[in-house]
Amino acid sequence: MRNTLDSAQLNAAVENVHRAGMHGLFAEVRDGDKTWRGAAGVADVDTRRPVTADMRHRVGSITKTFTAAAVLQQVESGRIGLDTPIGRYLPKLVPGIRGDAITVRMLINHTSGLAEYLPYAYPSLKAFPVLADTGPQSMDDNRLTRFHPTELIEMGVAAPAVGAPGGTPGVYSNTNYLLLGELLEQVTGTTAERYITRNVIERAGLDDTELPADPYVNGPHSLMYEAWFGMIDPPRDYSVYDMSWVGPAGSLISTVADLNRFFGMLLAGEIVSRSSLEQMQRTVPVVSQEGKVIDYGLGLHRMEAPGQGTFWGHGGTVWGAGALSMASADGKRQMSVAVNLQRWNRLDSSGKPQPHPIDEALAALHRVAMYG
């Protein structure tokens, strides 16, 4: 890995993603004490207002790393046991044999076997993962719906299991992280959102990061455009949205600078202890929502490229918005990228997402940002 930030190369890579069809994107790359920030494209396709690198953005499942860190803090304090069955803490939510078999660790690394609740909460997504038989209608219907986490958890627990507790590969499921939110509330006596805000977000000094209580993104931000595999054409803005449908699994608002600061501190042992970080970096194979097998730890995803070392971080996507934040194992090289269009791939005749120039351009940007 070269210890350099090539601004011209990074600017070109960001511009290429926009040229490939991404409405707008912004990024920050750090290498030791050097920082590059860049943006390309528009925050609003009608007014042509440009995106800027300091915009606040919905970062989706990157929230999971914050929630996992909060749980690990409670493990350190002795209030939560990583290998304690969840039924000991939340017997009503995960009753009986499953409550005895599924541990806290299995929730954090997605090996619980609990199904994803989303296709049950959103009727037009019922056929997921058969994309061709899904539709976007319930995304509109639920713009301002206030879900209670326990009703979503009950949907996931009642659904057919996707695996045996502790079995691998695990299957990625937001149900796991809503349960972790309820667990945090049970042991801390405050909401998961309040606990994570005080003990993770504020502890890391993230001034532009929050778990929102209302449907709005405050401060400078982009609109967020959802295409749902070409079924919403033109893509529709979902930047105003009640995020109770994902809560501690995916509702976080942040900036690329705050994300890099957070992952840098996490990997330096400043959010959780070194021994907790070691637990977070113990990975198992997990099937992602895109159907790929990834190396997943406790709220951390491991990525490796031949000869380039190991990177740790997380990606995220919600309606209209996506982000990826990765850091080298030593924390010196960091990349956070945010995009304002999601599910741009149309489906082919067999119902699979077709390759799109955006995919290639984004992968090239990630390579330049992570490896120089």
Side-chain angles (χ1 to χ4, degrees):
M1 198 187 300
R2 291 178 315 191
N3 188 29
T4 179
L5 286 180
D6 188 325
S7 294
Q9 205 182 10
L10 286 161
N11 287 331
V14 165
E15 202 57 58
N16 285 342
V17 180
H18 172 50
R19 225 175 270 128
M22 177 57 62
H23 292 332
L25 71 154
F26 38 103
E28 181 189 86
V29 182
R30 296 184 182 185
D31 196 336
D33 57 358
K34 299 188 185 75
T35 302
W36 168 90
R37 286 190 193 104
V42 297
D44 184 326
V45 296
D46 294 324
T47 66
R48 312 304 291 173
R49 172 171 62 94
V51 284
T52 56
D54 61 349
M55 283 182 160
R56 302 180 85 229
H57 199 64
R58 297 198 190 278
V59 299
S61 285
I62 294 174
T63 313
K64 290 183 173 68
T65 315
F66 286 70
T67 300
V71 173
L72 266 295
Q73 289 176 354
Q74 288 298 300
V75 171
E76 288 168 21
S77 74
R79 290 194 192 96
I80 292 175
L82 256 188
D83 296 303
T84 301
I86 191 62
R88 297 245 187 105
Y89 302 105
L90 303 170
K92 289 185 178 158
L93 288 176
V94 194
I97 295 168
R98 283 168 106 192
D100 292 339
I102 295 169
T103 65
V104 173
R105 185 190 301 273
M106 292 172 201
L107 296 175
I108 314 177
N109 70 9
H110 297 291
T111 59
S112 69
L114 292 171
E116 173 62 55
Y117 60 79
L118 196 54
Y120 303 91
Y122 279 63
S124 69
L125 304 184
K126 193 164 197 270
F128 187 86
V130 184
L131 297 172
D133 294 341
T134 64
Q137 182 52 49
S138 50
M139 291 176 211
D140 267 349
D141 297 343
N142 285 309
R143 272 180 191 269
L144 299 177
T145 302
R146 193 81 190 149
F147 287 104
H148 194 278
T150 55
E151 69 175 304
L152 297 173
I153 290 165
E154 281 161 11
M155 291 175 193
V157 172
V162 293
T168 55
V171 178
Y172 192 95
S173 169
N174 286 304
T175 306
N176 294 316
Y177 275 74
L178 292 198
L179 274 163
L180 293 171
E182 294 303 294
L183 172 62
L184 279 170
E185 184 166 341
Q186 172 85 9
V187 300
T188 65
T190 186
T191 66
E193 285 77 9
R194 276 198 213 103
Y195 181 84
I196 294 165
T197 299
R198 280 207 301 264
N199 295 280
V200 181
I201 295 170
E202 289 175 3
R203 183 168 173 173
L206 309 180
D207 294 337
D208 288 311
T209 299
E210 67 171 324
L211 290 160
D214 60 39
Y216 302 99
V217 181
N218 298 312
H221 65 280
S222 170
L223 301 189
M224 298 167 196
Y225 295 94
E226 180 61 50
W228 195 254
F229 306 103
M231 295 179 214
I232 309 176
D233 191 13
R236 197 171 299 143
D237 169 35
Y238 283 116
S239 53
V240 176
Y241 212 97
D242 188 304
M243 297 305 289
S244 59
W245 67 278
V246 277
S251 66
L252 197 74
I253 292 167
S254 193
T255 62
V256 288
D258 269 8
L259 291 179
N260 279 341
R261 178 178 172 83
F262 168 71
F263 280 102
M265 292 180 72
L266 181 68
L267 292 172
E270 293 171 24
I271 307 291
V272 299
S273 69
R274 289 281 181 187
S275 61
S276 290
L277 182 61
E278 280 172 25
Q279 294 287 344
M280 292 181 82
Q281 293 177 321
R282 284 173 56 182
T283 65
V284 292
V286 168
V287 179
S288 73
Q289 285 181 320
E290 292 76 39
K292 296 175 183 153
V293 177
I294 59 174
D295 290 325
Y296 199 90
L298 301 186
L300 279 176
H301 168 207
R302 182 174 68 197
M303 280 174 65
E304 293 193 39
Q308 301 289 3
T310 301
F311 273 68
W312 294 94
H314 214 291
T317 169
V318 290
W319 313 135
L324 178 65
S325 193
M326 301 300 292
S328 59
D330 62 8
K332 286 181 181 164
R333 182 83 177 200
Q334 292 186 268
M335 165 205 83
S336 290
V337 179
V339 298
N340 68 1
L341 172 66
Q342 282 300 292
R343 285 157 283 272
W344 51 79
N345 308 77
R346 290 176 180 268
L347 303 179
D348 63 20
S349 56
S350 69
K352 292 196 171 62
Q354 294 176 308
H356 190 288
I358 290 174
D359 304 323
E360 211 173 300
L362 261 181
L365 168 59
H366 295 158
R367 280 194 300 274
V368 170
M370 288 162 72
Y371 311 126

